[in-house]
Amino acid sequence: MAKIHSDVTELPASCKSAAEHVAAELAKEDTFANLNEAWIGRLTEWEAEIGREIGEPVALVACRLS
């Protein structure tokens, strides 16, 4: 079997290509919106309010759609 270099560790060689593809796609999606402190504060308040309402912590994320 050929030696395969991967950033994704502890996977069989047959899974590494698929895992690397998924990691690359997720990296493309990792484009957070550039928010100022006021908007970050509002998101934090909404997280707390929603968390209290549903009884568990939540995280709201602002991503660029373009």
Side-chain angles (χ1 to χ4, degrees):
M1 181 178 273
K3 178 84 172 158
I4 298 173
H5 171 73
S6 176
D7 293 335
V8 181
T9 60
E10 298 185 27
L11 290 174
S14 60
C15 296
K16 287 182 181 181
S17 177
E20 288 173 342
H21 176 73
V22 169
E25 289 300 312
L26 290 173
K28 285 188 223 174
E29 294 177 6
D30 194 17
T31 55
F32 296 104
N34 188 11
L35 301 178
N36 64 32
E37 290 298 319
W39 278 108
I40 292 170
R42 290 180 73 178
L43 281 176
T44 302
E45 291 170 8
W46 293 336
E47 288 173 339
E49 184 177 342
I50 293 168
R52 282 190 302 274
E53 186 70 28
I54 65 172
E56 60 186 343
V58 297
L60 300 177
V61 180
C63 296
R64 287 183 279 154
L65 298 178
S66 57

